[in-house]
C-alpha cells in the first residue's frame, strides 16, 4: 500500500510548481504553520519565497538568535525560546495556527537539516488535535552548500552530512556512522562539531576518521560563513586541531579524490572531481 496517492499531490502544472510563485498560501482565515530556513547568513542567502512568508506571517516562532535575524514588522508577534525546547516550540506554533493564525517557524539554513521541520511534523503527527493544521516547509540554503562554495567545490561528488552533536543521539551511533561513511570514501560535511560543553567530540571523530582516511586528507574548517568574522581554513586531517573548532564551524572532510590547488592569485581551492577512478 503506498503512503499517499500521487493524485493528492499538486499537479506539476499548478501554480505550486511554477518558478515564479511561492507555494500556495491557505484560504484566508485558516491558520497554518510554515517552517522556513533563513539560510546560513544574511539576506542575500534568504530565498524570495521565504521573504514573502516572513512578510505575511502574523507570528514568528523560533530560537531567539534566529528570530532576531528577521526585521521587525509592526503587528507581527515574536515568540522566542532557547535552543533546547524544539517540541514545545513546535506545539506552540501549531496551537497558534489551530487558533487561525498564520505562523512562521524560523530555523537557520535549511529548515529540514538538523532544524525545526522535523520537530513540527513530530508534534503535528503525534497529537490528534493538530491533524488538520496545514504545515508547509520552504527550502533554504544549508550551511554545507555555502561553506563549499566559499572554498571551491569539495561536495562535487558523493557526500554525506552528519551532525556530531550527541545531544539528540548517542555517541556510539555517531561513531559507527562516521566509520561507515569514511570507509565508503564519501566527502563528509560535519555539522554541530562542537560547542562550549561538547569539547571532546571533534578529537574522537578525528580518531575514527584516521582509521579509514589518509592523514593528508584535506579538511576545511569553515567558520561563520557569510557572516562577519568568516574564516575558512584548510588543514590536513592529521593536523586538525580540535581546539580551533566550535559551534560556529562546519567541517568538510575530503574523500581520497579531493584536491587542494593554489590558483594564480595564491588562493587555495578545495574541489572533488566529478569522475572517480575505476
Ligand atoms: N539548519 C541549519 C543547520 C543547523 S545546525 C542549516 O541547514 O544550515 C547548526 C550548525 O550548522 C552549526 O553548528 C554549524 O556547524 C552549521 N552552520 C550553520 N550556519 C553556519 C555558518 N554560517 N557558518 C558555518 N557553519 C554554520
Amino acid at each position: 500500500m503506498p503512503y499517499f496517492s500521487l493524485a493528492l499531490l499538486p499537479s506539476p502544472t499548478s501554480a505550486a510548481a511554477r518558478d515564479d510563485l511561492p507555494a500556495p498560501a491557505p484560504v484566508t482565515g485558516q491558520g497554518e504553520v510554515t517552517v522556513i530556513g533563513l539560510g546560513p547568513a544574511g539576506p542575500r542567502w534568504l530565498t524570495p519565497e521565504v521573504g514573502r512568508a516572513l512578510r505575511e506571517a502574523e507570528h514568528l516562532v523560533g530560537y531567539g538568535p534566529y528570530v532576531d535575524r528577521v526585521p521587525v514588522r509592526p503587528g507581527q508577534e515574536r515568540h522566542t525560546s532557547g535552543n533546547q525546547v524544539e517540541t514545545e516550540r513546535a506545539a506552540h506554533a501549531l496551537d497558534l495556527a489551530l487558533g487561525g493564525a498564520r505562523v512562521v517557524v524560523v530555523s537557520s539554513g535549511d529548515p529540514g537539516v538538523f532544524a525545526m521541520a522535523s520537530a513540527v511534523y513530530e508534534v503535528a503527527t503525534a497529537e490528534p488535535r493538530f491533524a488538520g493544521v496545514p504545515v508547509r516547509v520552504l527550502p533554504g540554503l544549508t550551511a554545507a552548500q555555502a561553506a563549499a562554495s566559499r572554498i571551491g567545490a569539495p561536495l562535487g561528488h558523493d557526500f554525506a552530512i552528519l551532525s556530531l552533536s550527541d545531544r539528540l543521539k548517542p555517541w556510539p551511533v555517531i561513531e559507527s556512522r562516521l566509520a561507515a561513511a569514511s570507509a565508503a570514501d564519501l566527502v563528509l560535511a560535519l555539522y554541530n562539531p562542537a560547542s562550549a560543553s561538547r569539547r571532546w567530540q571533534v578529537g574522537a571523530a578525528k580518531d575514527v576518521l584516521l582509521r579509514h582516511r589518509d592523514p593528508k586528507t584535506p579538511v576545511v574548517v569553515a567558520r561563520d560563513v557569510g557572516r562577519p568574522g568568516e574564516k575558512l581554513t584548510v588543514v590536513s586531517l592529521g593536523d586538525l586541531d580540535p581546539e580551533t573548532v566550535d559551534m560556529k564551524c562546519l567541517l568538510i572532510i575530503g574523500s581520497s579524490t579531493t584536491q587542494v590547488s593554489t590558483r594564480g592569485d595564491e588562493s587555495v581551492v578545495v574541489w572533488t572531481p566529478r569522475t572517480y577512478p575505476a
Side-chain angles (χ1 to χ4, degrees), residues 40 108-110 113 115 142-143 191-193 222 224-225 227 247-249:
S108 81
D110 179 272
V113 178
T142 192
Y191 284 59
N192 297 309
D224 275 324
V225 177
R227 304 180 190 140
M247 67 187 294
K248 295 169 156 196
C249 298

